[in-house]
Amino acid sequence: MLRLAIPAFFALVAEPLFVLVDSAIIGRLGTPQLAGLGVAGTMLTTLVNLCVFLAYATTAAVARLMGAGDPRAAIRQGLDGVWLAALLGIGLLVVGLVGAPWIVAAFGASDSATPHAVTYLRIGSLGIPAMLVVLAATGVLRGLQDTRTPLVVAVLGFGANLLLNVGFVYGLHWGIAGSAWGTVLAQTAMAVVYLVTVVRGARRHGASLRPDTAGIRACAAAGAPLFVRTVSLRAILVVATVAATHMGDTSIATHQVAWQIWTFLAFAMDALAIAAQAIVGRALGSGDASGARAATRRMLVWGVWTGVLFAIVVVAARPLYIPLFTADPAVRDLLAGTLLAVAALQPLAGAVFVLDGVLIGAGDGRYLALTMPLVLAAFCAALGTVSALGGGLIAVWWWAIGTFMIARVLLLGRRAYGDAWLVTGKR
């Protein structure tokens, strides 16, 4: 577990650092720019994360086939996922380029934030194909139980992103456009490295590199339930962002930073979920149902205690990191209060991410697809209540997002407690 989780941890925390770096650099330009990033960044991460099934479904499928002793089929299935990623990436690129003004308008951004949001969204869309390829290729390597390569690529990509953004924004004075260009170039370089790595693995195992229409369709079908799950998750983020946007630039700027800190912590805890996907998938593929359940119990305990540790750090370190994101006193004050809710929800988040990873690794996407709309409904009901009572951003985090996490842990825990997900063999 540790051999998989520790490299995955450092690789995963590097990914949200891309947006955190953007937030810190752009936040020094002004609140309208940071608010613009809040809208554009939310949309870009939504477009990419709707396709996170490319990583999750591929990890589970490759791990199960490896457990069943068929590495050639495992690599071939992974390559089908990479081809699917490239096709989806081109389509989403067009959506981002053409639809940027209408997408930003739909969020209700202020007149001062709108031009910054449109600029960042249009340029940032150029990196979508690369990011989807990275997702699929990462899933292949995780399924092969290689989490070290993604770690190296993520760290180098983060370093390149930091240097490019600082150089473009402050050196060339490109403003928010410079930050977007730096991120796109770093993402593209990462995709190239991943492609070289996966192609080498395919040649080593004698797997064909050509696109296979039937295989691509099978990957899409396998990922469909996880897509439904992710749509519900991203809808929660979008709805929360829209609510914060209508509260004004101070609230949306605060929400942008708070959500990126939340995402950073989520990616960190997702290291255990990645380990769960690979271990559970391989165990079930080899027929070891008892091993899969034992691993689940241990990782669940680790997830909760990791959440407790993160909660303490978030609260104690606020004076150190809040000034890095903004010089606006109003944003700083609101962020300090919002982060108390972020911290309080971390132990629940630890359990949620582990259980989610276990069920994904088991190929139990249908259950996740059926239950996530219920979670979305609970969140929307809580958010509507907060809005009706005149609550602000802090209330949204405590009550609406709190309800979202409680609903998830209850539904995931109910499933993991039973035996329906313990299906062995290739599937």
Side-chain angles (χ1 to χ4, degrees):
M1 292 180 196
L2 290 175
R3 180 177 62 82
L4 294 173
I6 291 176
F9 167 79
F10 289 106
L12 287 165
V13 298
E15 292 179 30
L17 281 174
F18 275 69
V19 183
L20 279 176
V21 165
D22 287 356
S23 298
I25 292 174
I26 293 173
R28 309 305 297 183
L29 298 176
T31 298
Q33 288 89 338
L34 185 57
L37 175 64
V39 174
T42 297
M43 196 62 229
L44 283 170
T45 54
T46 296
L47 290 175
V48 172
N49 287 330
L50 283 176
C51 299
V52 75
F53 69 86
L54 292 166
Y56 289 168
T58 303
T59 297
V62 171
R64 187 177 284 267
L65 287 169
M66 289 296 293
D70 195 348
R72 183 178 179 181
I75 292 289
R76 179 62 255 183
Q77 180 133 4
L79 285 170
D80 291 334
V82 173
W83 278 109
L84 177 61
L87 295 173
L88 289 173
I90 293 171
L92 292 177
L93 165 61
V94 174
V95 171
L97 286 175
V98 176
W102 293 277
I103 292 170
V104 172
F107 275 83
S110 67
D111 292 339
S112 60
T114 291
H116 302 296
V118 172
T119 297
Y120 194 95
L121 181 55
R122 278 189 166 148
I123 298 172
S125 295
L126 298 174
I128 292 177
M131 287 310 297
L132 296 196
V133 168
V134 167
L135 284 176
T138 301
V140 176
L141 296 180
R142 288 172 180 167
L144 297 174
Q145 301 205 347
D146 175 9
T147 54
R148 292 183 180 179
T149 300
L151 166 61
V152 173
V153 176
V155 170
L156 292 177
F158 167 69
N161 182 58
L162 175 60
L163 292 176
L164 289 169
N165 282 12
V166 171
F168 290 164
V169 174
Y170 298 127
L172 299 179
H173 304 289
W174 287 1
I176 195 170
S179 180
W181 276 116
T183 300
V184 167
L185 291 175
Q187 291 166 342
T188 302
M190 291 172 65
V192 170
V193 174
Y194 270 115
L195 285 175
V196 170
T197 303
V198 172
V199 167
R200 285 177 179 172
R203 288 176 175 169
R204 186 167 56 251
H205 291 285
S208 173
L209 298 176
R210 295 180 179 178
D212 177 63
T213 304
I216 293 173
R217 283 201 302 264
C219 283
L226 292 180
F227 176 77
V228 173
R229 158 201 172 271
T230 307
V231 167
S232 297
L233 285 173
R234 301 312 298 182
I236 289 169
L237 167 58
V238 170
V239 170
T241 301
V242 170
T245 301
H246 286 285
M247 295 176 185
D249 282 359
T250 297
S251 289
I252 184 54
T254 301
H255 180 72
Q256 159 67 11
V257 176
W259 193 268
Q260 292 311 320
I261 291 172
W262 172 277
T263 302
F264 174 81
L265 298 173
F267 270 87
M269 286 190 289
D270 211 27
L272 291 174
I274 298 304
Q277 291 174 28
I279 292 172
V280 169
R282 189 155 190 160
L284 294 179
S286 63
D288 186 9
S290 61
R293 187 177 285 282
T296 298
R297 290 183 183 131
R298 179 165 297 181
M299 285 185 285
L300 183 59
V301 172
W302 288 1
V304 172
W305 280 109
T306 299
V308 171
L309 175 62
F310 284 178
I312 294 171
V313 172
V314 167
V315 174
R318 283 180 302 166
L320 299 178
Y321 63 81
I322 287 179
L324 298 177
F325 293 102
T326 179
D328 189 330
V331 175
R332 288 186 179 185
D333 290 344
L334 185 57
L335 184 58
T338 303
L339 288 171
L340 292 177
V342 172
L345 295 172
Q346 291 310 301
L348 271 180
V352 165
F353 288 116
V354 167
L355 292 173
D356 196 51
V358 166
L359 297 183
I360 290 173
D364 199 19
R366 185 172 181 273
Y367 178 80
L368 297 174
L370 291 174
T371 54
M372 275 309 302
L374 299 177
V375 175
L376 174 59
F379 166 80
C380 289
L383 181 61
T385 302
V386 169
S387 298
L389 295 175
L393 183 65
I394 294 177
V396 168
W397 273 89
W398 274 108
W399 298 107
I401 296 177
T403 298
F404 153 59
M405 295 305 297
I406 292 171
R408 285 198 77 191
V409 78
L410 291 176
L411 290 169
L412 291 170
R414 176 181 176 275
R415 184 66 164 184
Y417 185 76
D419 297 325
W421 59 280
L422 291 170
V423 180
T424 57
K426 284 188 177 182
R427 275 192 96 145

